[in-house]
Amino acid sequence: MHQILGRVILFSIGTVLAAQFLFGQVQIRALQQPIDDDYTKKIREYTTETFFNSPWTDYLPASSTVPTPKVVLGDVAGAPQKLPYSSDVYRYMRLLERSTPRVKVFSIGTTEEGREMIAVAVASEKLIADLDQNRSRLARLAEPRLINMDDAEAARLVAASVPVYYITGSIHAPETGAPTALMELAYRLAVDESPSIQGIRNRLVTLITPIVEVDGRDREVDIYKWHLAHPGQNWPNLIYWGKYVAHDNNRDAMALTLKLTQNVLKTFIDWKAQVLHDLHESVPYLYDNTIGDEPYNAWLDPILINEWQMIGWHNVSEMTRLGMPGVFAHGDFDTWSPGYLMFLAATHNGISRLYETFGNGGADTLERTLTPQQYERTWYRQNPPLPKAKWSQRNNNNYEQTGLLISLDHFAENSKLFLQNFYLKSKRSIEKPKNEGPAAYVFPADDPRPSAQAELLRLLQLQGCEIVQADAPFSAMVRKAKTDKNDKTEKSSTDQKKEAATETVQFPAGSYLVRMDQPYSRIADMLLDYQYWSPNDPQRRPYDDTAWTFGEFFNVKVVRITDVKVLDVPIRKIATPVEAPGGIRGPGSVFVINHNSDNTLVTLRYKLRNARMDAAEEPFEFEGSKFNRGSFIIRGLSADELQPVVSQLGLQAVAGSSAPGVVTHPVRAARVALLHTWLTTQDEGWWRHAMDDAQVPFTYINTQDVAREPNLRSKFDAILFPPAGRNTPQAIVSGLPMWGNALPWKKTAETPNIGTPDSTDDMRPGLSWSGVDNLKKFVVEGGVLLTSMNTADLSITFGLSPGMSIVQKQKFKATGTALRTKLVDASSPLVYGYTDNLAVYCFECSIYTISNLANGGGQRPPAEPERMTGRGTKDDPDLPQGRPVAERPELPKAEPWEAMPLTDEQTRNNTVVIPQEFRPRVVLRYADAKELLVSGLLDGGSEIAQHPAVVDVPVERGHIVLFSNNPMWRGETQGSYFLVYNAILNFDNLQAGRKKADEPVAPSAGR
């Protein structure tokens, strides 16, 4: 192996050296082009090997009127120890704008923390002056209905137009090289007079957002400056990027939860751009994952797949020809999930592109040693990176700019082809109903969750989709639901053959339709359809989630219609954001609002803090309407006070003169804390966003606060402890190793952008044993601790949740999958407002069992205990000879979500027997194995089938709520949010509806 490896390494180095000869023959710079000699010398000084540069970037053109990046940076782009803040980058881009008519800067919005985002257009003077007219022409190509789908008119528009190539940088804040590379790229495109650069400038508009994650960028620069000021010390991890999430900011292209995603999408759509090219830095030396690996997203136009191949392999070929090692495509990035920022283009008839180059996480020049997996030659990486190399930020900038310039040149050369394809993809999207289908998706007007329905429709509108509403009732043919698996009625083969594959369904007036005869039909189809990833797919490691069926995850009814007759339904267009109707029906001083698990209900409680609200513990009727368990009964305020709030929130209140005669308990505005670790804030950030979006106030605390505070109950009623990444319970308790220096996350003069949204003098200490004890004390004194996945595992591992056990997984695999659940105890306040068959998100969910013994003992025996050798058949009892036959006691039995009944032997003088009132209460379980998979990848599903999904564990005066899954994920799983909100609203009454011994649980309603 060593001998083979040596040959591979020698071959790679030989390829590099041989390519240097070709490098000298490639001429980009025009002979008459003046050079900025000082800047060019610095480029070559900071480039650690000549083959880490190219003729595109080994010089800088000079200009007597346009400043170079050096005027702001104090050195060249990519210089050691130079990492500019966003304000520096923006200042330079606006200097360019003032210095040349070839550059124009646009403000495209702000971040959650109020920092500006910009887009910089670079093109010839003529194209800059013609931006609006060009955009108007592109708009007609993007919307072929405006030209009556006339191919001849499209050809005329193509001939008169130039494409827009949109480049975005630094969405991942620790990937620091793109801003300086894009500063210099903008300068080159504006100044260089070489034929290749002129060809780019004259034949397309380059649009640049140099920093996408602006909040995280400024924090990262703070961290880097701290590192420079403390040589030889470990520097703090960038624990916060944006206000809410870190790496997952590049998984928001579906739910559009974050402002950075919304701003980039709006820019892409407004400019009618053809490409969105996103820059990342985690792979040596340039991985063009435009091509990616299978499986490809199933809803994309094949034209796009061909464009990926054409552009990607050209990019690899050209950079390899220039002698730059480590440039490759294909790799192991599958193109299944549409959640990445670049995919905003793919889902809107453009071309998505992404580079991974090699960054050092700052501006240090470092000796980098790769792993064999990174430097070995493969079929798709014939000229791999070097096993060891001195690597600089300038090297990284060279690769980024070279790849971009080659791509821009290629796109300019083939601009008319790509514009024609842009038109064709838009046209083919409109033609979906008569080709692959479907014709439309219908959102029925009688959906029991109108606010959730409106929320999903608004998301589709934000994606650029058209929403229409039916003027009258209508019917449509739909695929018939599968035959009930529990139906044991015998059917003849003739009956089975005659069973219809479709059925007619009636929809009421006012139902919403998302028709597929529109330009952005693909994103709607992609979000609303189901996904299936075969467990036997050759791609064994999905790069990200395999399911995202939004109707299921929002708990909203969505019907896929292939019958093209649905396009004849009389409709009216919805021009404004969809809103659910809200108001008050009838006179009276008592108001009742049905609990349907719409998230606006929790907003209502906190908006009306001083109103008296009670929750009904049973279903009831009031003023001619039926109401679910948990429905709000409101007193203590007038109709005039309630009306504007319910109207704004899309809630319907029914008024009456007296309260309904039903058992109730108070619904209080709980004092909530949201608890995070200093190991990661990624997953809990989505919970914070959900809470802020629902306007639920909370105190943000960390594990070190909990370790110091023994009186948590005096401050809080409920503590939410979201998943802490993939850390073990032991790591959450231990924190980081305490050797070495402290790792502060604190605002100082040296680091003005960090220290928010939380701060500490040292990130290393974890929850510690005192924190575990303080959480237990909080629960014992009446608080609710809500946990999820590894934090739920923590509560089990360290004895906080008596009777709970964790099952070790064998084959089970669910990679961002939608799983079906079943209600076990519909009377629990945790599931107020829910009916059966809720779909929940699962990424390697925890598998739990429950016991009536505090130590988790008394687990179920094998399904069929093996009998000993003896007389009779396998099913016969053995009979000892010479004595009367003794009756065998029946073995205890229980369902997988239930605790095994205790025998007399187990209960005799046994201190670990949990009293009935403190036994774990399973309220939601996973469905049977045959019904379990809703969408995505599932393997070994029988391991988790029927096991508990949500459990309420009473502990003295309080409760620990355990989620096997993560109910609040990326803004996509809004249908399961109210499982959390129910815990908050009913924190002091979670025992409501709990059955007594031998009493049946409340039945659940159908879906």
Side-chain angles (χ1 to χ4, degrees), residues 679 727-735 769 794 797-798:
L679 300 172
N727 292 289
T728 65
Q730 291 81 359
I732 295 170
V733 171
S734 300
W769 298 119
L794 181 150
T797 301
F798 298 120

Side-chain angles (χ1 to χ4, degrees), residues 792-869:
D793 292 353
L794 181 150
S795 78
I796 297 171
T797 301
F798 298 120
L800 274 64
S801 298
M804 297 295 302
S805 296
I806 304 169
V807 178
Q808 295 301 311
K809 299 166 188 170
Q810 304 300 318
K811 187 184 176 184
F812 173 69
K813 185 176 184 180
T815 309
T817 305
L819 299 182
R820 186 73 68 207
T821 62
K822 296 286 185 178
L823 286 175
V824 175
D825 188 349
S827 62
S828 166
L830 289 173
V831 289
Y832 280 169
Y834 283 97
T835 53
D836 216 2
N837 294 314
L838 177 70
V840 300
Y841 173 83
C842 176
F843 186 93
E844 310 304 344
C845 298
S846 298
I847 305 176
Y848 299 139
T849 59
I850 69 169
S851 169
N852 292 325
L853 301 176
N855 59 9
Q859 297 299 313
R860 66 195 72 249
E864 292 186 21
E866 188 69 30
R867 67 156 285 185
M868 304 298 289
T869 302

Side-chain angles (χ1 to χ4, degrees), residues 137-160:
R137 291 189 292 269
L138 293 177
R140 282 173 279 172
L141 293 174
E143 170 49 297
R145 293 174 300 182
L146 294 174
I147 58 172
N148 298 316
M149 313 279 276
D150 185 339
D151 292 349
E153 175 61 13
R156 189 191 68 77
L157 290 168
V158 167

